[in-house]
Amino acid sequence: MKNKLMRVGTTYIPVSDVEKAASWYSATLEAVLNYKDEEKAILELANHSLFLVKAKEGETANFQDHNGRIRFSMTFEVEGMEALNSLHSELNRKGIMVGDIENRGHAGRNFVFTDLDGNKFDVWSELSPVFKEMMIKK
């Protein structure tokens, strides 16, 4: 399948209240709201489209791994440790539930933050080489 699937275009995130969630993502993460109705909101964030979809109460995009740990389903990338530390501090100042910066035994560092509905997201201090190359070409 090499070169057939070109990119991930959209990620769907379950939320309990579309209006509140869209406002939170816009204000907290500076996502750009492109469309909203009672059942969904479409936002642009990190060169990616996020659909916030009204879901049953308590539904999240998280999953449980084989050790019973609740895990995130998406990792955002920033460029370097300074950017990671800055974002970590900013989210903390905004009162967002933010985990500690971790060394997971691979390049860079990570931390996890949580949205209003309990959806967990990871942030990694390393930009993927393909994305870096695309940014250089712009």
Side-chain angles (χ1 to χ4, degrees), residues 26-123:
S26 296
T28 305
L29 303 179
E30 299 176 11
V32 176
L33 180 64
N34 292 324
Y35 176 84
K36 181 173 53 83
D37 62 30
E38 287 132 18
E39 296 192 9
K40 67 188 165 299
I42 303 170
L43 299 111
E44 177 87 18
L45 177 63
N47 292 298
H48 190 73
S49 182
L50 287 182
F51 274 50
L52 305 179
V53 180
K54 185 167 180 64
K56 291 181 180 178
E57 193 70 36
E59 195 72 38
T60 71
N62 308 331
F63 67 95
Q64 192 172 42
D65 70 15
H66 72 282
N67 292 316
R69 285 184 54 200
I70 302 299
R71 306 289 280 206
F72 47 83
S73 61
M74 184 187 309
T75 298
F76 292 104
E77 298 174 351
V78 297
E79 191 165 14
M81 282 303 298
E82 187 176 320
L84 186 83
N85 287 325
S86 176
L87 180 61
H88 188 266
S89 294
E90 181 180 341
L91 293 177
N92 261 319
R93 277 192 310 276
K94 290 181 175 182
I96 308 310
M97 188 185 313
V98 180
D100 294 334
I101 294 176
E102 304 174 78
N103 177 351
R104 297 185 186 157
H106 56 69
R109 299 291 182 266
N110 300 70
F111 71 85
V112 175
F113 71 92
T114 306
D115 75 2
L116 293 174
D117 288 285
N119 292 298
K120 293 177 180 286
F121 299 99
D122 187 48
V123 181

Side-chain angles (χ1 to χ4, degrees), residues 119-131:
N119 292 298
K120 293 177 180 286
F121 299 99
D122 187 48
V123 181
W124 186 33
S125 65
E126 303 293 315
L127 282 179
S128 62
V130 171
F131 188 76

